[in-house]
Every structure is written in structure tokens, then in C-alpha cells.
Amino acid sequence: MEATTILPILKKKLAFLSGGKDRRSGLILTIPLSSDQTSMEELSATLDYLLSIPSEKCKARGFTVIVDGRKSQWNIVKTVVLMLQNVIPAEVSLVCVVKPDEFWDKKVTHFCFWKEKDRLGFEVILVSANKLTRYIEPCQLTDDFGGSLDYDHSDWLNKRLVFEKFTKESTSLLDELSIINETDKSSGHELLSELQQRRFNGSEGGGGGQGAWCPMEEELLAQPQVMKLLDSLREQYTRYQELCRQRNKRTQLDEIHAKVMQVVTWLQGPGSELLKTQQAIGDSMRTAQALQQKHEEIESQHSEWFAVYVELNQQIAALLSAGEEEEVAELKSLQQQLSDVCYRQAAQLESRQNVLQAAHSFHSTTQELSQQLDGLLGMLCADVAPADGASIQQNLKLLEEKLQTVEAGLTSLRQKGSLLLEQMCSPPSWTLEETESPGGDQQDNVQQIQSVMDEMQLRKQRCEDMVDVRRLKMLQMVQLFKCEEDALQAVEWLSELLDALLKTHVRLGDDSQETRTMLDKHRKFVDVAQSTYDYGRQLLQATVVLCQSLRCTTRSSGDTLPRLNRVWKQFSVSAEERQHRLELALSFHGNAERVLQQMCVEAESLDEVDSSGKTLLDRLTMPVIFPDGSEQYFGSPSDTAVAAEGVREPCLVST
């Protein structure tokens, strides 16, 4: 079918192939129904003509049919959809019926296309014009549906008419030339052979006898004319063959040039605009992931054009191997232009992908560091009330570990921030133009990254300052616990000294020398106790200072000082009693020894011995009375008896 036979119908634009493709690379066939009554016969003829244009390979991919029913009635739309079943059932993959916003809502419920899918052989969906991009990319839709694909029906029809005329005339001319070549070549060679044969036979007769044939003059002249015509035919046929070959090559070059310009125009136009609008890096992991998904969609759109680039590159390579010098130069120029643009766009896509990956890693580290800082801050804000010094040491160790983790996280954030800035500011590895200075969005991104790192540094510094304060406080608490433990230990030591004094320091010595020695040891023993008491007092004074510094009013160390003072008073009373007894014993032994050394014992000396002995014995039977009124004896009764016996013996000897 030729366009000229249905030209008035084609001018009505009942249907058209815009050149757009669906996501399966199938052609998009658009049927724009109008408010006027549409002739189904004319629409069927239009569809038959349009379906005769694509190759079988294109048809195998299937068609997506857009039935624009926004200006038509529902019954016409339904009729058109059902008609597609008879006209192009096998080639249709999807039918998108563009409906008005609210006009069909009630009527559509009476006929559901999805229930008719098996019978129709294809899927039918009802969709609003603004939602058609869910199924077809905007760059593959005409402006009637909010797309960016240019389509001029009049221009397309004029080109089809010129193409069909050229094809028809060229085919007819080639057929005629082929017929002329074969027919004239055959008849011309036969004529030339016959003329040459007759000339040969005529010259063979010799003497011109009867019956011999003599060629006419025009027959002799015809031979070179026939030969000249045959040469001209060969030359003209060869010339026409070369002309057709050149035209075929020119057509191929023009088609390749058009496809190259189509790829270049999209990559430098809509493709570059898509990348220019995607400059953000997000402010969180969630937004960064959303930007990565958007970038994957952009890469998917580019991949279709890159596939066309690969196909064109293969076609150009095939033509280069058999092309002439002028054609080779043009093809190489096209190939270079196409490669430069594609590689540049691919490099920009890769650069953008690297930036988004670095941004996602940066935001992930930021989120992790923020959580670590929150945990550290929570630990610092909690009250410290450990039970003992070991608990404080454990908490201090945990605090230091958390601070080290934060420092490591901040270091990692700086590294990833530097990498992100480097990715953003570095030009792609493949570039054709001078690198543009960073735009406003880029500068905002740089400021955002720097702001995040500065904020994290400030938060870390604040936590570090709080850690220093908490560390000092915890070390003071460790010291407080240590002072309390040591003070209690001093009380225990002093109690042990008191116990030893009362239980083991009973003997008074057998003579003055031994008693004097025991008195010296007793003074040293008291000095040790005094040192222990002073040490305990100092520790308790330190705990008071630490508690004031820590504002710790609930500590139980206040009862340690009364215990220490009580034990010390008991020890002091006991020590004084012990020293008094030793001094009485020393006086007693001195008097007794002087009596024993006298040759003539005076009664007065004996009275002194007797008096000091009785005083000492009376002292041994007396208990130690503590400040609280309690009493305690030195040693056991047997120990006291032994000590008393040691006093009585000298008394008996001296008397």
C-alpha cells in the first residue's frame, strides 16, 4: 500500500507512529480520537498502512498502542480497542486508553477490559494522561501527553511521499535497466554475430560465382554501430549501477548521521539536563539512598541510548572497512563525535555514582558517630553512684573506651568527608570541555559537608570536656573510697593494738632491769598506736575534703571517726594504766633490790618495800575503766595471779 492511494485519509492523522519506544523497545502507535465521529474503515486503512512500514524485527518486539479518548465517547473508544483485535492482535503488547478525569467513571464499570485479556490477546489499561509516564518514559512521549519527543505529522507525511516516490522510481529504473541490459545485450550480440557471420561467408565466395551472397553496404556499416551501441549500453548500465551504489551509501550515511545526531542530541540535551538537576548529596542515609535510586533510573534511560551507540559503532566499523577516502573521513568524524559524547556522558554518570556512594558512606558514618556521641553523653549525664572503688574503675575504663570509639569515628568521618569532597570537586576522567567552576548547589554541598564535620567535632569536644570533668570526679571518688578503706583499716589496726595491749601485756618483769626494758618497749608500742591514730585522722580529714569537693552528703564515712576516737581513748586509758603499773613495778623492784643489798636492813626501808608491793598488788586487781564506763582487765585471771606472785616473792625475800 502506498501513501498516495490513501493520502486524504493519512492527512487526517487518525493514527501515527511518533518514533517513540516503550520500555521493551517496542514501537508506540498513537490513535488520537477526536470529538467528531471517527470512520472505522479509514482508521483500519491507516493502521494497515502504518503497520506495513516497520520491519519484521521491529514488529516482533510488539507495539504499545495509546488510544487517546479524552475528546471522544466511550463507545467509540471501546470499538477501537476491539477493532485492534482484528487488525493487529499478534503485534500488540499493551493498550493504554487515556481517559478523561471523571467522565467515564460510571460507564467503565459495565465493561472491564482486564476481564477480556484472554479473548483480546493483549492487556488494556485505563490511565490518566499525567500518569502515562508510569508505563512509558517521558522522553518517548509527544507533548500531547506531557512528553519531550518532537513529532510533526505533516513533515512525516511529506517525507514518506518523497521516499515512496524515490523508491518506486528507482526500483522501476533499475528494473528497466536490467531488462534493457539483458535484452539488448542478448539481441545485440546475436545481431553482431549474424552480421559478422554473413560477412565471413560473403568474403569466402571469392570469384563471385552464382549463388554466392554479397553483403550490402549498410550491413557492413551496421556492425560498428551495433558494437558502439553495445559498449554504450554497458557503460551506461555500469554508470547507473555505480550511481545506485553511491545513492545507497549516501542513504546509509544519512541514516547513520541522523541516528548519531539523535543520540548526541539526547545525551547533550535531556541526558545532560537530567544530570544537572541531580546535584544534591542528601542530608541522611535515607535521602542518599533515594538519590541513588533516582540515579539508577537515569542510568537506565542512558543505557538505551548507549545500546544504540554500540549498534551504530558496529555499523560504522563495517562501513569503514569498505568505504572510500571521503566516506571514511566522514564516518570517522561521526564515530569520533559519537564516542566523545558517549564517553563523556558515561564518565559523568560514573562520577555521579561515585559521589552518591561516597555521600551514602559519609552519612552512614555520621549517623553512627552521632549515636556514639549520644551514648557517651547519656553516660556522662547519668549520676555516678558506684558501690566501691572497683566499680568506679570499671566505669572509668568503659568511659575511656567510649571516648576512644568516638575519636575513631570522628577520624573516619573526616576521611570519608575528604573523599566525598574530592569526588565532588574532581572533574570526570573523560571530559571534552573545560571544567566549570562549582555552581551554587556544589558550594552548598561543600558547606553542608564541612558543617556536619564541624558540628561533630564540636559535639566531640564538648563530650571530651565533660569526660575530663567526669574522669576527675571518678578519680576523686576512687581516692575517697581508698581513704575510707584505709581509715577503717587504721581503726582495725588500733583495735588490734588495744586487744594485744589488754591480753598480752600483763607481765611486770622479775627485776628492775627487765621492768625498765618492758617500760621502754611499752612507750614504743604507744608510739606505734599514736602513729596509727594520726594516720587514720589524716585519712578521715581527706575524706571530708573529697566529700565537699564531690558534694557527696550521703557517704557513711562519718561513723568512722567516732569509732577511731573511741578505740583511741580506750587505748590511751589502757596504755596509761599499763605504764602506771610498770612504773609502780619499777619502784617496787628498786626498793626491794636496795633492801637486799643492805647489810643492816632498816625498818623504814622494809616499810617502803611492803607499801609499794601492796600498792602494786592492789593495782593489779583493779580493772581498766574506759570513758564510756565499761571495764576491762589486763589478761586472764591466771595471768594476773602470775604477775601478783612475781610481786609477792620479792616482798617475802626482803622481809
Side-chain angles (χ1 to χ4, degrees):
M1 181 184 298
E2 296 181 0
T4 53
T5 60
I6 58 169
L7 184 58
I9 298 176
L10 291 177
K11 288 182 178 180
K12 294 181 180 180
K13 196 182 176 182
L14 300 178
F16 62 90
L17 290 169
S18 63
K21 295 182 180 181
D22 58 22
R23 290 170 179 168
R24 296 185 295 268
S25 297
L27 295 177
I28 297 175
L29 174 64
T30 305
I31 303 176
L33 299 178
S34 63
S35 56
D36 300 332
Q37 187 69 24
T38 302
S39 171
M40 294 298 114
E41 291 79 9
E42 292 181 350
L43 178 59
S44 178
T46 302
L47 293 176
D48 288 340
Y49 174 74
L50 293 177
L51 293 173
S52 66
I53 296 175
S55 64
E56 294 300 324
K57 183 179 179 180
C58 289
K59 292 180 182 179
R61 299 193 188 106
F63 289 88
T64 290
V65 182
I66 300 177
V67 180
D68 188 358
R70 290 176 291 180
K71 298 179 181 179
S72 183
Q73 299 177 359
W74 164 246
N75 58 346
I76 296 178
V77 173
K78 185 171 68 174
T79 303
V80 170
V81 173
L82 295 175
M83 185 186 70
L84 294 175
Q85 179 187 13
N86 300 322
V87 179
I88 49 172
E91 288 84 2
V92 176
S93 300
L94 175 66
V95 175
C96 298
V97 177
V98 182
K99 63 183 181 68
D101 293 336
E102 298 179 356
F103 186 69
W104 295 342
D105 290 350
K106 295 182 180 179
K107 295 184 178 181
V108 171
T109 57
H110 298 292
F111 185 84
C112 298
F113 281 119
W114 65 272
K115 294 182 179 179
E116 304 292 330
K117 180 178 179 181
D118 294 337
R119 184 171 68 85
L120 291 173
F122 48 79
E123 181 181 0
V124 181
I125 58 172
L126 298 177
V127 64
S128 301
N130 58 352
K131 296 183 179 179
L132 194 59
T133 53
R134 293 181 179 179
Y135 308 94
I136 303 171
E137 296 295 335
C139 61
Q140 303 296 327
L141 292 172
T142 60
D143 57 359
D144 296 332
F145 306 106
S148 59
L149 182 65
D150 292 331
Y151 176 75
D152 186 337
H153 188 70
S154 299
D155 181 66
W156 173 83
L157 186 56
N158 291 334
K159 289 181 179 178
R160 285 299 304 177
L161 292 172
V162 173
F163 171 76
E164 290 183 358
K165 180 181 178 182
F166 170 76
T167 303
K168 182 178 179 181
E169 291 177 353
S170 299
T171 303
S172 175
L173 179 60
L174 288 174
D175 291 341
E176 290 178 3
L177 285 174
S178 178
I179 293 173
I180 291 173
N181 182 59
E182 295 299 327
T183 302
D184 291 354
K185 183 177 179 181
S186 176
S187 59
H189 280 290
E190 290 176 358
L191 176 60
L192 182 61
S193 177
E194 182 178 351
L195 289 174
Q196 289 176 343
Q197 183 66 34
R198 293 179 64 181
R199 180 180 179 182
F200 176 77
N201 291 337
S203 61
E204 194 179 30
Q210 293 182 352
W213 180 83
C214 182
M216 297 174 61
E217 182 178 357
E218 58 269 19
E219 291 179 344
L220 295 175
L221 294 174
Q223 293 181 24
Q225 292 179 355
V226 171
M227 293 179 66
K228 184 177 180 181
L229 286 173
L230 286 174
D231 292 339
S232 297
L233 284 173
R234 293 191 194 96
E235 181 180 354
Q236 192 69 13
Y237 182 73
T238 302
R239 190 177 300 167
Y240 273 113
Q241 281 185 323
E242 179 63 21
L243 179 61
C244 291
R245 188 182 68 82
Q246 292 293 339
R247 285 184 176 179
N248 184 45
K249 281 190 174 182
R250 187 69 259 169
T251 301
Q252 287 182 317
L253 289 175
D254 290 342
E255 290 178 355
I256 289 176
H257 185 273
K259 291 181 179 179
V260 168
M261 288 300 101
Q262 186 179 12
V263 174
V264 170
T265 300
W266 190 90
L267 291 178
Q268 291 182 336
S272 295
E273 289 300 321
L274 283 174
L275 283 176
K276 288 180 181 178
T277 58
Q278 298 296 313
Q279 296 294 328
I281 59 173
D283 56 2
S284 64
M285 286 180 59
R286 182 179 58 81
T287 55
Q289 289 173 348
L291 288 171
Q292 284 182 316
Q293 293 176 354
K294 180 62 178 178
H295 183 72
E296 289 174 359
E297 295 175 3
I298 295 176
E299 284 184 329
S300 177
Q301 296 180 36
H302 278 76
S303 63
E304 298 179 3
W305 293 99
F306 290 152
V308 176
Y309 157 70
V310 173
E311 183 179 351
L312 285 174
N313 207 29
Q314 293 174 349
Q315 294 177 7
I316 292 174
L319 291 175
L320 283 173
S321 61
E324 298 179 359
E325 183 176 354
E326 183 178 352
E327 297 170 353
V328 167
E330 182 179 358
L331 287 171
K332 285 186 176 181
S333 176
L334 285 175
Q335 188 180 43
Q336 185 65 41
Q337 181 183 9
L338 181 62
S339 297
D340 289 346
V341 173
C342 287
Y343 275 107
R344 178 174 178 269
Q345 199 73 357
Q348 291 179 346
L349 285 170
E350 183 181 6
S351 177
R352 174 63 179 167
Q353 179 65 26
N354 292 338
V355 168
L356 290 176
Q357 289 177 352
H360 183 272
S361 178
F362 176 78
H363 291 312
S364 175
T365 304
T366 301
Q367 179 176 323
E368 183 179 355
L369 178 58
S370 180
Q371 292 173 351
Q372 293 171 351
L373 286 168
D374 290 341
L376 178 58
L377 183 61
M379 184 176 180
L380 291 170
C381 292
D383 292 335
V384 180
D388 50 35
S391 300
I392 296 178
Q393 293 285 5
Q394 185 65 28
N395 289 339
L396 184 59
K397 180 180 178 183
L398 180 60
L399 191 65
E400 297 290 352
E401 290 176 352
K402 283 185 174 293
L403 182 59
Q404 291 176 1
T405 302
V406 167
E407 290 176 348
L410 184 60
T411 301
S412 176
L413 181 67
R414 291 197 191 98
Q415 292 174 350
K416 293 182 179 180
S418 299
L419 177 61
L420 177 55
L421 290 172
E422 181 181 352
Q423 292 283 356
M424 289 169 50
C425 299
S426 299
S429 58
W430 179 277
T431 180
L432 300 177
E433 303 173 354
E434 294 183 0
T435 304
E436 299 179 357
S437 59
D441 293 340
Q442 196 79 317
Q443 292 178 353
D444 291 343
N445 292 337
V446 172
Q447 292 176 358
Q448 175 190 345
I449 296 168
Q450 194 63 48
S451 175
V452 170
M453 291 193 294
D454 291 344
E455 179 187 358
M456 290 300 165
Q457 174 65 37
L458 182 60
R459 289 180 61 185
K460 183 256 183 184
Q461 186 62 49
R462 289 173 180 171
C463 287
E464 199 170 41
D465 294 341
M466 295 178 68
V467 167
D468 291 340
V469 175
R470 177 57 61 88
R471 184 189 296 112
L472 177 60
K473 183 176 181 180
M474 297 179 79
L475 289 175
Q476 287 179 337
M477 293 190 70
V478 170
Q479 189 177 3
L480 174 61
F481 277 112
K482 181 63 175 174
C483 289
E484 290 178 348
E485 291 175 1
D486 290 349
L488 289 173
Q489 185 65 52
V491 174
E492 293 297 327
W493 288 341
L494 197 56
S495 298
E496 291 175 0
L497 291 175
L498 175 60
D499 189 61
L501 176 62
L502 292 173
K503 291 182 178 180
T504 62
H505 294 208
V506 180
R507 290 185 67 253
L508 299 175
D510 296 333
D511 52 34
S512 61
Q513 182 65 35
E514 184 178 5
T515 301
R516 188 176 289 104
T517 301
M518 294 180 71
L519 187 60
D520 291 338
K521 289 182 178 179
H522 174 72
R523 292 192 181 98
K524 293 179 181 178
F525 184 78
V526 172
D527 290 340
V528 172
Q530 181 69 50
S531 299
T532 303
Y533 171 72
D534 293 341
Y535 176 65
R537 290 276 300 183
Q538 292 172 359
L539 291 173
L540 290 175
Q541 288 175 357
T543 60
V544 172
V545 175
L546 289 172
C547 285
Q548 291 175 349
S549 176
L550 295 170
R551 297 179 181 178
C552 182
T553 59
T554 59
R555 298 301 305 165
S556 60
S557 58
D559 63 352
T560 306
L561 181 59
R563 288 180 56 195
L564 178 65
N565 289 333
R566 183 174 62 252
V567 174
W568 173 246
K569 289 179 180 179
Q570 291 176 351
F571 181 87
S572 298
V573 172
S574 301
E576 289 176 0
E577 180 62 26
R578 172 65 175 168
Q579 183 170 350
H580 188 59
R581 291 183 182 187
L582 287 174
E583 289 175 350
L584 288 176
L586 181 61
S587 175
F588 167 74
H589 286 300
N591 292 334
E593 289 173 359
R594 283 194 298 272
V595 170
L596 292 176
Q597 292 174 359
Q598 293 177 2
M599 296 298 296
C600 180
V601 178
E602 297 178 359
E604 185 180 355
S605 298
L606 291 174
D607 291 339
E608 288 180 1
V609 173
D610 184 61
S611 176
S612 60
K614 288 180 179 180
T615 302
L616 180 58
L617 289 174
D618 291 340
R619 198 77 180 186
L620 290 177
T621 59
M622 293 174 59
V624 179
I625 301 175
F626 296 143
D628 60 357
S630 60
E631 298 179 353
Q632 181 71 41
Y633 288 91
F634 278 94
S636 61
S638 59
D639 294 334
T640 303
V642 171
E645 186 64 27
V647 175
R648 290 190 184 98
E649 287 182 2
C651 289
L652 294 175
V653 172
S654 61
T655 56

